[in-house]
Amino acid sequence: MTTRIDTAPEDTETDAVFAALAHTSRRRMLDHVRDTPGITVGALAAKFDTSRITVLNHLSVLTDAGLILSEKDGRTRKLFLNAAPLHAIQRRWIDAYGAYWAEQTLTLKDLAEAAFYSSNKDQTS
């Protein structure tokens, strides 16, 4: 018997972000857009040794995942990084695990200090 797990809407969005980030060229494109806010599609395409169509396909995946926002400016399209989906992943995965390990570290610190003070108290008695 298998258990069916329903996919929540935020999981679908997260899947799209992970899928978009899975390709090296798309991560490099995000780096360029982050470093040069408002870069045009043409300027971005010129940085890659692939066809403009390939770059447009990659941009489509990044846009569908919500990682790229574009703004029409006359005949050009300017690109901007939308970091919100990345922050959502950080909040869901990294911050949650980070908080757990920070708490574990504090507990370990408290135990070590208690043992140290207890040991020193026994030596001075």
Side-chain angles (χ1 to χ4, degrees), residues 14-76:
T14 301
D15 289 347
V17 173
F18 279 119
L21 295 174
H23 197 284
T24 303
S25 294
R26 289 194 286 264
R27 291 191 305 271
R28 288 184 48 225
M29 287 178 188
L30 281 178
D31 289 339
H32 286 296
V33 172
R34 177 200 60 214
D35 295 342
T36 315
I39 189 171
T40 63
V41 172
L44 181 65
K47 296 181 179 291
F48 292 88
D49 280 338
T50 59
S51 70
R52 185 179 174 94
I53 296 299
T54 301
V55 170
L56 290 172
N57 288 337
H58 284 309
L59 285 174
S60 176
V61 172
L62 292 167
T63 302
D64 290 347
L67 293 166
I68 294 283
L69 301 174
S70 66
E71 176 182 288
K72 189 114 167 114
D73 184 22
R75 295 183 57 176
T76 62

Side-chain angles (χ1 to χ4, degrees), residues 4-15 92:
R4 184 170 169 251
I5 299 174
D6 291 327
T7 303
E10 62 271 9
D11 288 338
T12 303
E13 294 165 6
T14 301
D15 289 347
R92 178 177 175 182

